[in-house]
Structure formats: structure tokens, C-alpha cells
Amino acid sequence: MFPVKPLKPTFKSYLPPLQTEVKNSPQPTVRKLEAKLLPGEIVVNEVNFVRKCIATDTSKQDLWGKLVCTNFKISFITDDAVPLLKFQYRNKLLGEHDIPLTCIEQVVTVNDSKRKQKVLGSNQKLKFNPTELIIYCKDFRIVRFRFDEAGPESAKKVCLAIAHYSQPADPQLLFGFEYVGKRYYNPAGDKVNGVDPAGGGDGGGGVEGVQTPLFDRSSDWDREIKRTGGSEWRVCSINESYVISLSLPEYCVVPVSLADQDLKQFSIFFTGQRIPLWCWNHPNGSALVRMSTIKDMVQQRKLDQRICNAITRSHPQRSDVYKSDLDKSLPTIQDVQAAFVRLKHICVIDPFEESDEKWLSSMESTHWLEYVRSFLKHSAELVYMLDGKHVSVILQEEEDRDLNCVISSLVQVMLDPHFRSIAGFQSLVQKEWVMAGYRFLDRCNHLKKSDKVESPLFLLFLDCVWQLLDQYPAAFEFTETYLTVLSDSLWIPVFSTFLFNCPQQRAEHSREFARSKNIHLGDEKVLQFPSVWDWSQQFTAKDQALFNNPLYVGKSATCVQNGAVKTFKRTKKNYSSTLRGIPSLRNGLLSEQELIPRRNSLVLRLKPEFSLLKEPQESPSDQYIREWFSKPADLQGLILPQLLSSHIKVWKLCFLRWIPEAQINNGGYITAFHKVSVLADEIEMLQNRLRQYKGTPSTPGGSPETERCKMYFRASNLSDTPPTPEYLTSSFPFSPVGNLCRRSILGTPLSKFLSGAKIWISTETLANETL
Amino acid sequence: MEEAPRFPGESIKAIAKDVMYICPFTGAVSGTLTVTDYKLYFKSLEREPPFILDVNLGVISRLETIGVQSHGENSCGMEIVCKDMRNPRFAYKQEEQSKLEIFENLTKHAFPVSNDLPLFAFLYKEKFPVDGWKVYDPVAEYKRQGLPNESWTISKVNSNYELCDTYPALLVIPTSIKDEDLRRVVAFRAKHRIPVLSWIHPESQATITRCSQPLVGPSDKRCKEDEKYLQTIMDANAQSHKLTIFDARQNSVADTNKAKEGGYESESFYTNAELTFLEIPNIHVMRESLRKLKEITYPVIDEAKWLSNMDSTHWLEYIRLLLMGAVRIADKLESGKTSVVVHCSDGWDRTAQLTSLAMLMLDSYYRTIKGFEVLIEKEWISFGHRFAVRVGHGDVNHTNSERSPLFVQFIDCVWQMMRQFPAAFEFNELFLITILDHLYSCLFGTFLYNSEQERVKAELHTKTVSLWSYINSQPEEFTNPFYVNYENHVLYPVASLRHLELWVDYYVRWNPRMRPQMPVHQNLKELLVIRSELQKKVDELHREASTRSLSSSSDRGSSPSHSATPVHTTV
């Protein structure tokens, strides 16, 4: 038994606070605990008198409430306030204790008096009444509920319902369909939680009204060609209605020298009929192209030659083409998945104290950081080809749907500052992932059909971007909170962005669903799922301000506004006129001024020996990278990652945010972020004041007020800096409270209890296995 | 060729041309080597810009002749093993007189103490506008803490260092203790280091006291006066009826000590006291750990095994133990409102590490530049951390087993705290690195000698310059732009390897590939410059506008934004 006998629920815990009576509230004094439902959401099963575990070592802080399973989420509804919680970052689509069903990795039921436990799959039987339910989440949370005082049968039913509904048999059973379908029944558009389910169906407002091009129409591609100056490339529409390839978008970009007829001919020889896709153009004319392998051995050489010739002809200098075979140079998606499973294990399953001593070795043996490094390294080498050698690059991967997505986007993030702005980054994900046919549905394993297809490649990409952000904190418009929230959005099954394997699949399921529900799609041809880029669906404007990086010195000078195309300039641009005259950053080296020791300076200053550093057999790309590092970096130009093992770090905000023991109270990077935000806000304020004095209107596109909303932490006034808020922790804006409950069972740490169960991978039953 | 730059008081001892420096990172380079009484200075014009290597002699641990085959005529080699994680190597031709001379001079001046020469600090003649020796005034510091009060007194009992020769002249001890009882306690504590107050909590009056181990011995000797003394310390704090004794050592080691004269307080004799072992290994283990760290970081790093190699040095593991111990002490005072006694064997190594770290967590004053200087002066220098022995200033005997990088370890812990609380410290990383560089350099008197008594005898304050004179003359160099005063905030760092990192900018700074990443504070400094420029402009315009509105007869539109004509149309 548990050392602490759980307290019986009292009536008190179900009564609203006394003040309501004092206030003479007209509402009834006893409120029923009701789940808040989104349009299309229905309650499947529920059970009362459930305890949600909060702390690891005591049950005193546990919350009493009702556990509900809907077709969208597990919802725990309680009137109790979460203890120890000083701050909360709310998602508008989810309640405080909710877990979307697609976020569930594993459902484990336990009966501790019978000493039984079982990993529940879909359509399974449960031979005991669970006293406890443990939900392992894809975002690393571990949430536990206890049923000591709940009706045993209802508890069991809820557990079975959760197991069943978290493993839908068909994509159309994913909640997004019902959610969007509702819009067609109710065109008046009833809003829930202030959210219009269909709002922003085509890209949405995005942060501060920036439109993210979705690349589902030829005009988006056209603009991208113009932006990057790829004049020898054209939009091709041979795949309209997906007649050529099922996994390619309807519109793609090809060399002007290749006619539609040729491409149609070629396509049959490529894996998945995926003809080569243009990704990006360097201002020097070099192009980045991605393609699948040529299946037909007989045609291979000839076809290769024709493709390369065409790409060469599209280069102003007629430069060569460099082909990079990613299948041969990088870890496989299975390797990445295995590393991720191990990473998850050491982060949240292993008991904190015991595993701490060997943390570094354990981290090394997961290979996660090694893989992050190898993707960054490979990308940097291709940057050298495009930028240093002025040659076009073809990324080749068997299916062109996994590794190519990571590498092509990383290369572009390094080379093009546009993709380091929020709108640019979002368009990059659309272009290289969503439209290019990255199998979000399979890789996320939303249907939990097969573990073999699951791989966290998108998260790996975000981690690589985080490493760049960590090394160049002023080069990105967004913050690590943005990247983390984006990774969490993978597990909310309502966004068109992450629900499908390719645009064609979305279209097909749309049609089928529409037919079965008698929905008329009209001209749109597809169901208008919301895009994840419409952040207002998930967060308030205030909360979205946490995405904005106060250190960002770039300006999205390259974005396309109101259809007008601005030319893509690579000249060094400063954030504002006031920045001119300020010594620029010197690439991590001390600035020239600082290199000259001032009088009395006794500090042992390092000489910049890096440029002299020579390896015995230095490759040209190493030399290129070394030379780049010896010069000051232009954050509005190319950035390259530092690639020593000591430079590649654990993304703590993403991977350790739920671990109470790892949380630094009143500390963490966020405390520095707070100070910079306030400063940035003050600067904004001063600039506005200056404009007022000069009598010029404030910046186009916004009043001074909206302009100032950029920062989450605001300056109160200019004279004194606000104190660092007490609620800041290294996990901010997330909180470990109630999100990682690893309490031992019968004195045995949970990890040991479940060892051998291949936790996180296997959904095999451990039926009736006694402890 | 121009001469090597020198400090006031520094003189050149020898110069040799055509010496080859074998740089492990950029290859061999030939140039001129100068040896002064403070440093060796190598300059080569073969490269553009000229290649310069500047190593102060204080940092040299040992000089070794090595064989160098692959460098042509330069068949003789010399390796300079340094205390700061590098080993520069030189090669030269065998027979030349000037070469022999320069290395003779190097050997002589690198180890002045062993050659009956003064340490360079006594020759250094720089003048600074601020006198760093005035930074620490024990009476002022105790007054800041609210002392003396009714329970605690500032005693002059040790003013001639007769009671304890490794303690400072002024000690804070319980008011009620009688002199003859004190003598007995003195006799019962190793090296006479009796429990004395380090810090008192401003609200609860819970205290941190420090001492050495009791001389219990194998026969379980008792000392009633010592027991009573600790009881008095407990009674001075009305908030708790407990006293916690933190013994920094490993329990097993404390037992070994008990078998020979030493030992620890028995809970059955010291009623109301609870004894906790913090299980921190001794100075020899720490020395070995840093040696291993040097092995894996200099000059070559094994990329594939970087993390597991780090693990195998245990360096971060020991940092973790220290921080964890200090967190427990701080938490006992803050949350438990309970007084603590901290000791190890002699009470000058691990004890100093733990008390100063706990004080840094508890008292935001010590997180300022001035406060941190006071903390070092007080807990380390005045309380007799044996800097001369642990560092081996000017001493040729590099195998001395008393050497150990305990102070480096402490500064590393401080750096780890800075990483976790980037806005809580007034000083920056450069401040910490500067302190560590001058721990070895012997340029300043600050870290010389083992005790206050020795320093007084050597007239250190009049004959040498304090490191704080240099630092406090240009505080802006050492200020953290993120600093927000966390007054009355207790900081509990997370003592876990998930957060602890190797301090690459210190330990691996000689490797140019480990160059520091683009520092965020640089960006912040830029923003600060922008803000002050803007502020200036706004103020100017505001002034202009107000003079204008004063001079104009009509007083409509006093707000500049409403004025019909722009105040200033040109920029």
C-alpha cells in the first residue's frame, strides 16, 4: 500500500469558494464539473472522484476532480487550484489539465493491491479494476491519476476509452475532421473559446498579421523565385490534381530549360515519380535542388546527365552541380528514432538523482547530440558548396521525403536571413516539409499503427535550429519558446500542417470525409483545416509576444507584402537607423577595439589565432568554414554553426522543462531575457517619443501601441527597471507541476517497475504480469 | 625589434633570438624570447599579425627538458607545464650560450622563493587610483551583518595570533563564553581552529560557524566546554532547538581521522546537534581530477568521447557535491532557521568552500563586485586558506602533495551559479577569470602567504598592490550588464549535472577552436548604448521644446506631438 493513505474527498472540495455566496451570486452554489468542448467534440466516457497526482513524494497536493475522455482529449476537471503554480501559459484549445489524445504515447493501468499492471492498447480487455492510470505523453510529460475513491467500473471504462480513442483506426477519426466539419454544418460560425474553428484556413493571421505563404498555389512559388532571383527557374503545374506524383505538391519549380513534356517523361523513372524540386537560389546563382533516386538503372546515367545539364543551364555562370547523397552520409530515420527513445528515457524515465552521476555519459550514448551535430555539419558543408564554390547542389535521398527536408531547410536557415524571421521560418516549414510531402501523419505516428515509421525528424530539425539560435542569439526573430511551442503543436490534431503525409492525402481525405458527411467543399476542393501558423488559435496576443526575440537585429526586409515583391537584397541591413555607428558584432571575437589592451589591462586576452589554425589535411570546406569564422559575422547574412562537441548542447527548455528537480527557481536564461525585453521595450518607447517630437507619423503598419506589444515583458516607465518577476524559472513559460509524476510504486521506482516493457516503444501487453 | 612591454618595476633578464615556439594549434613558429622577472614573452614576426605568447612566470608549475626531433637544428626542447591548463613548448639549438642563459634565467625567476628571490609582487610599482587593501574591514563587515549583538561579540582574544596562528586577529564568538572555557575549546579543536561566526541571518539570527575537527581520537575523548560552546551557539538562535553540524568529509575518512587524534562530534555527547557528512573527497582527489581534466582538454580533444571523458574526470561531479553541500547549508538556515557548524579536518579548505558558497546563496551583498571581494578576503584569505601552499607561489617543488586547486574549484562553483542566475551577479565572467589568473601570477599581494599573521609580518599591505586596486579602478570592465539586484533573494542553484557545464572559457581557453560563442551580453551592451543615445536625443528635444514653448508667447500645444510645426525636421 501507499505510505500515505489518500484522504477521502470532502464536499468542501466540490463547493465553490465561499465568496460567491457572499457576493449574492445568482448562480447555483453547487456547480457541476463540465468539460469544455470544442465544436465537434463529444464526451465518450467520464469518471468522478479521481485524484490527479501532483508531487512525487506526497499525495497532499493532489487534486480531486472528474476525468473525462472525449474524441479529442483527456480532460481532468477540477475546482482545486494547482498548488505551487505561480504562472501559467494557457493554450486556448486546451484546459489546464488536458492532454490531446494524439499526444498520448502509452496508456498504463495499474492495480497496486493486486500488484498488476497493463499497457493498454486499442480494443483490449482489462481483467482488473485499475487503481491508477499513467499517461506517457509524446511531449515527455508523465501524468498520473488515481482511482482509489472512484467507481471501479467507470474508472475501468474511462481507461479503456482513452486507450481506444488514442489509437484511431483511420485518419478521418482524428479530431481535426470533426472540428473542421462543424464549420460546414454551422456556417454562421459559432466561436468556442473565442476561436473560430475555420479561422485562418489559408495561412491565418500569424504573428502580428504576417501572412505565411503556404506554397499551395503557384503565386507563392513565383514570389519565392523572384525573391531569390532565380530567373532561370519556373513554376510548373504538371502535377495539378496530383496526376504525376501523389506525394509532390501541385505546383513546383523546375529549370526553365526543361519542358513539361520532358518532366512528365522523366517522372516515371523517379522513386515516387518525384521529379527534382527547386528549393532556393543563392544570389550568386547557385541553386539548391532536392530529388528522389532514379529507380530505373538503365535510365539512371542519361537522366542524371539531363537533370544536371538543365540545372547547370539555370546557373548564370553555368557552374557545375554537386550531388549529395544523404542516405549515405547521415543517420537513418530509425537511428534518429532510437536516439530519441534513449534521450527520452534518460530525461524523464530514469530516476533523477541516481542517473545524475552518469548524465554526461548517458547523454553521449543516446547519440542524439551526435546526430544533431552531423546534420548541422553536413548542412554547413553544403553551404560551402553553394556559397564558397558557387555550385548548385542536389540533395538526393531515396524518397526525398525525410533527410532532404532537414538538410534543405537547415542550409536555407544558414544562408538566408529571411528564414530566420518568423514569417520566413514558417514559410520554410511549409515549403520544405508540408508541401514537399514529409509524412507528418506517419512520422508522428498519430494513428499508432506502426512504430517502425515513427521518427522525430521534425523535432531534430527544430533542435538544430535551436543550436544555431543558441550560438547566434541575435540572428533569429523568434525565441526558443517559439520552437518549443511549435514542437508541441505537432500533437494537437487540428492543424492541416501536421495531420497529413502530403497535400494529396489531405485532398483525398477531405473529399472522402466531405462525401460521408454531406459537406459541399465548393471551389476549395479541400477541407479548410486551420494552419498552425495562425497562432491566435492557440494563444492570446500577449502570450504570442513570448515568441519575439528582443535581441533580434534583423529586419524581415525580404518579405512580400500585399502582393508586392521586394527584391532580395543581401546588403548588410541594420535594424534601425539608430543602430548605425554602433560597433558591429564581431563573430564572437572581441572587437578590434577590445583587442587593443587598454592601459592597465592585465587581462590575459586571447589572440585571434583561429585564422592561423590549420589542420594537417584541411579540406576546402574546413578551410572555408575556418576563414568564415575568422571574420566578423553579419547576422543579416550567412551564419555557420560551431561544431565541436562542446558547442552542441542539450536543448533544456524542450527536454527538461517538466522535471521538477531540474527547474531553477528565479533563474535560467529567461531572467536575462527579461532584462533584454524590458530594454528593447524602452528603446521602442524612446523611438516613439522621438517620432512624436519630430512630428513624423509612427512606423507604417502600426500605431505606437501595437508596435510596443512586441515584447512580453514591458517597461513600466523609463526611470526604473521593473524587478525580475518571482515566477520566472528555467522552465518558463512551462511548469513541471503535475506534469511529471514519477512516484514510485511500492517503493520501487517506476522505471524499474516497467523495465523490460520497452516503454515508449512497445504497446505490447504486459497482461497480468505480477511484480 | 622593439622590446617586450613591461610593467612598472619589471626588468628584462635575458633575450634570445631564433627560438622556436611549437604551438599545438597553429604549428611551429620562430621568434624572439624574452624573460623578465615577471613573465616570458615570445614574439614572432613570421606571421601577420605578429604572433605573441605572453606567460607570466607565476603560472609555471614545472620546467622540463624534452626531446624534439622533427624541428631541424633545434634539437633541444623545453616544456613549460602551467597551472592554468596549458603546456607551451619551445625548441632551440643546443650549444648557443644565449639559449642556455635564457633558460637558466627562466628557471631562476619562475621559482623565486626557491632561489631566495622576492616574489614579483614586491617589485611591482604600478599605482592605482583606488586602494584595494581598504576593501575589507572586518569590523565594518560584521557591522553590516548586525554584529556585535547580545549573543555575539567581536573578540580581540586572537589579536596577537596567540590563540590560533591561522585565524585572523578579530573573531566573532559567543558573548557568554568565559576565557578559561575558550582555552579548553582551543585545545580540543585541530590547529586550534575553534568555532567562530562567519555569517548571521538578519531575521532568524541563525548562524554559520566554522571550525576544524574536534580532537576526539580513538578513545572518544570529550570536552565539556566544547559541548557547551556549541550549545551556546545553538541557544543564540531562538528560532530553533537544533544545531546542524556539517562535516564536509566522507564518513569513512572522518572515521580514519578518529583513529588518529581527530574525529567528529558524537550526537550522544552533543545533545540537540545533528551531524551530517557531505561526503566530499579531499584535496588530493581534487588535484587528480583537475590533472585528468587537463589531459582530456589540452592540447587535443577527443570529439567523439567528449562527454564520457568529462564524466571520467569527475570534475563536474565534485562541483556538484560542493554546490549540493552549500545548498543544504543555505537551506538549513533559510528554511530551517537552524544554525549550522561547518568543518572538515583543518577547516581551511572544504570548510572555506562551503561557507563562502552558502553565504553567496544567502546574502545578495556577496553577489556584488565589492561584496564578492569581501567574501574572498574574509572566508578565504583572513581565515587562513593556505594559498601559498595550495598554489605553490614561487616554489620549485611541483610534486608537493599539499598543492590543490581548491580555490579554482570554488570559483568554478561561482561561475556555475552565474550560469544558472544570469541576472543575479553584479560581476561577469571576466572578473572570475581575472581573479584566477592573479591567483597564480604573483603580480598582486592578495593571494600570497597562508595566514593573516604571515601577511602582517611580511608587511604585505604596504609592500604590494592588492588585486582589488586594479579591479576597482575599472569596475565597468567587470560588470555584468544583465545584473538586476536580487535583494533578499536566496538563490538555490540546481546541483545537477543536467545543468552543470564545463567552464570552457576558462579551462579550454588556449584552444582557438573553442572560441567563446557570440556572447549575449555583447548584444545587450549594444542595446544599452542605443538606449542611452535615444534617451539623450529625447532629452535634448524635450529641452528644446520646453525652451521654445517658454519663449513663444502663445502657450497652446505645449505637448510637442501636437505642435503644428515639427520641432526638428533634420536629423
Side-chain angles (χ1 to χ4, degrees), chain A residues 287-356:
Chain A
L288 181 66
V289 179
R290 56 190 285 177
M291 68 182 209
S292 63
T293 50
I294 300 159
K295 298 178 292 191
D296 193 318
M297 299 306 276
V298 188
Q299 296 290 329
Q300 199 176 24
R301 269 196 67 185
K302 205 175 114 200
L303 198 52
D304 246 351
Q305 201 56 48
R306 291 219 42 195
I307 299 292
C308 287
N309 283 344
I311 294 173
T312 300
R313 245 182 271 169
S314 287
H315 195 293
Q317 275 89 50
R318 304 287 179 267
S319 281
D320 276 348
V321 176
Y322 174 81
K323 198 188 228 173
S324 175
D325 186 345
L326 300 192
D327 288 320
K328 284 185 187 135
S329 20
L330 289 165
T332 65
I333 62 161
Q334 289 82 12
D335 292 339
V336 175
Q337 169 68 4
F340 185 65
V341 169
R342 287 188 292 263
L343 176 76
K344 207 175 228 179
H345 211 281
I346 67 161
C347 284
V348 294
I349 304 285
D350 281 348
F352 188 85
E353 288 292 335
E354 292 160 51
S355 62
D356 207 41

Side-chain angles (χ1 to χ4, degrees), chain A residues 63-83:
Chain A
L63 309 177
W64 288 99
K66 179 154 103 177
L67 186 65
V68 178
C69 172
T70 77
N71 56 345
F72 168 51
K73 67 187 180 229
I74 302 177
S75 191
F76 178 75
I77 311 129
T78 178
D79 281 338
D80 299 350
V82 181

